[in-house]
Structures are given as structure tokens and as C-alpha cells.
Amino acid sequence: GRCYLNLGKNEDAIKDLIKAIELDPKGIYYNTRGLAYENLNDTIRAHSDFGLAISKDSTNYQFYYNMARVLEMEQHPKAALAFINSAIAKNPKDGNSYVTKGSLLQTLKDTAGAITAYNAALSNDANFYDANYALSIVYNEKNKFKEALNYIDKAIAADVKNPEAYVEKGLILENLKDSVGALKNYSTAIELDKNFSFAYFTRGSYYQTHNNRTAAIADFSKIIAIDPSDADAYIARAECYSDTSNCPAALLDLEAAKRLTPNDPSIYFQIGMCQDETRYYREAIESFSKAIAIDSTANEYFYSRGNSYYNLELLDMAEKDYFKALKLDSTNAGPYFNIGNIHFDKKLLE
């Protein structure tokens, strides 16, 4: 059963582990079968087996650690935290337990506690990749970019062949305004793993931000070739096509994304933008309205629908949408300017 598990043949592993449990219901057998179920995304059976493992042997920290992980997958962070604390109490030298605790505390919005947990892992092993990597993300999110860079460099030193670390370093360097360094790290990640979709996505986004739409489209196209079910790649490529006034290509990508994730409001928003640009204003209004029906908190949806109403000279409707956009974000200058235009058109000069 263990051999099949290591070979990724989880169903075969489960068959043998069932026989092992029938012969001798040890905790380690339930735990191993739980891992196989977890690999098959059957968290219910994995949860049950890890619980049975603990009931058979309450001294093995690994059983508590695995239960914490599956509870995290089931989105029960508080319950998971109780089990990971038990794992740490039984084996305070296991760095993976501290990293899992840090992840749970981040989910529970306890960033200070998460940092403490990650540092506890590093107190046992200063070169522990997972803890250094996690701290780099935490500090990057806290806008402490130099600290983040320090930790990601330690993570890379611990595992120079791990492409995700180079992607994270690229993101940090972008925040430090080192565009050249960021691009170099994204490209290094891709060299290490030619099928790492996220690396292509971050590099494509970098190219898009720096107005290199051709390179961005190439990277987003690579993602789609790797995984044709990646809706985000279609949306990102559509934005690039739209930015280059290639609305027919953009609409094809957006329709593909819509089939994959029909409840994503950004898709309808982008469709509306293409329709507005090509002067299909009524169709654009319909698309913006669909986006708003899904997410009524995005000021740009109301602003853009207001623009389509304005282009149809439906000034009252446009003004209502501009005011809704300003209610959501009063720092956007566009609605103020267009409300001024409406008042000018209505001869309300004061």
C-alpha cells in the first residue's frame, strides 16, 4: 500500500491498506489510507481515517498534523489550529507543523501570530525553505519589501531549483521598482519549469503593465496551451487584445472564459468595454448590467455603464450611474468630469 501511494497509484494503495486494516487495525494504516484518500480529494474519508488513526495512537504527532491539514482544506481553520497545536506539543522540532500553524493564523487574520509560528520553524532550521518563503509573502503583503527580499533570498539559497521562489522574488522586486530584476526572475522560473503557468502569468502581467502587449499575449497563450481551462489566462489575453483595439479577438477569448466561469463579473465588464469601444452601446449596457448584477461593489462597472448611457444621450441614466460610482470610490475623477459634461449639456452652467 505504501509503495502504491509513493507511485501515485492511490486507488491501488487503498485496496491494500483496507486489507492491512482488516488484519491489524493500526493507527499508521489508517493514517496512510487517509493520505491516499486526500490525494484523491476525498477529504471526508481522509478526515475519518486521520481521526481513526488518532483514536488508535494518540502519541503520533503526524496523525494530528495530517488532521490539521485536511481540516484546513475543508476550511475549518479554528478546528485545524487545535490539532496543529497538539502536533507541535508532541513534536516541537517539526518545522512543517509551525508552517501549517502560520498558514492557519494568516487565514484567521492573525499576522503577528503567523510570523511567530514561521520564526519558530526557522529556530529549528534557519534554512527551512517553506518558512522563509512564507515570511517573504507575509512581509511583501505588509509592504516591508526589503524584509521580504531577505527571506526570499534565503528560500532560494535553500532550494535554488524551486521556480515559485523566483516568481515571488520577481513580485517583490517589482514593488521595489526593480523592473529589470523582476523580469529576470520571472524568466528564471520559466527556465526551471516550462509548464509553470503562474510564472507565465506573472511575466505576462509584467509585460502588459509595461505596454509590451505582444510579449504578454505570447505568455498568456502559453498558459492556455498548457491548460485550456484557465479562465484567467483568457481574460488577461482578452485585455491585451482590447488594449490593441483587436476587439474581435478579445471577444472570442471572453466568450471562452465565460463558458469556463459564467459567474465572473470581470468577463461581462470586459465584454462591455469591447462593445462600447465598437459603438454597440446598448449591448454594452446589457453586459455592464450583468457584471453589476454579480458584483455591485465595483465602481468601474457603474462608471463604464454610465459612459454607454452618455454615448446614447441618456443623460439622466448616465448621471445616476456616475453618482453610484462616486459613492463607491470618491477619488475617481472620471465621474466628476462627466457629470460636469452632463450639466453643461443641460445648460446647468453653475
Side-chain angles (χ1 to χ4, degrees), residues 283-305:
E283 291 81 355
I285 288 167
E286 183 179 342
S287 295
F288 292 136
S289 296
K290 287 179 180 177
I292 290 166
I294 298 169
D295 179 8
S296 60
T297 66
N299 75 88
E300 64 268 24
Y301 297 173
F302 288 102
Y303 176 52
S304 298
R305 189 174 69 175

Side-chain angles (χ1 to χ4, degrees), residues 201-321:
F201 193 87
T202 50
R203 192 175 71 174
S205 299
Y206 169 93
Y207 284 133
Q208 185 177 8
T209 301
H210 290 80
N211 298 315
N212 189 344
R213 302 291 191 277
T214 302
I217 288 169
D219 274 350
F220 296 138
S221 297
K222 183 64 177 179
I223 298 168
I224 293 166
I226 295 167
D227 180 9
S229 67
D230 192 324
D232 289 336
Y234 285 106
I235 295 169
R237 190 171 70 175
E239 290 177 2
C240 291
Y241 283 134
S242 181
D243 289 342
T244 56
S245 298
N246 189 351
C247 276
L251 287 170
L252 285 173
D253 273 355
L254 291 167
E255 288 298 328
K258 190 168 68 173
R259 287 192 293 272
L260 293 166
T261 54
N263 294 319
D264 185 340
S266 70
I267 295 172
Y268 298 97
F269 172 69
Q270 290 296 332
I271 290 172
M273 293 297 287
C274 277
Q275 290 166 331
D276 185 86
E277 184 178 333
T278 51
R279 301 185 180 183
Y280 287 93
Y281 300 126
R282 294 189 185 280
E283 291 81 355
I285 288 167
E286 183 179 342
S287 295
F288 292 136
S289 296
K290 287 179 180 177
I292 290 166
I294 298 169
D295 179 8
S296 60
T297 66
N299 75 88
E300 64 268 24
Y301 297 173
F302 288 102
Y303 176 52
S304 298
R305 189 174 69 175
N307 288 340
S308 293
Y309 279 129
Y310 184 85
N311 289 329
L312 287 172
E313 299 183 3
L314 298 172
L315 301 184
D316 290 339
M317 298 294 289
E319 188 171 6
K320 286 179 182 178
D321 269 355

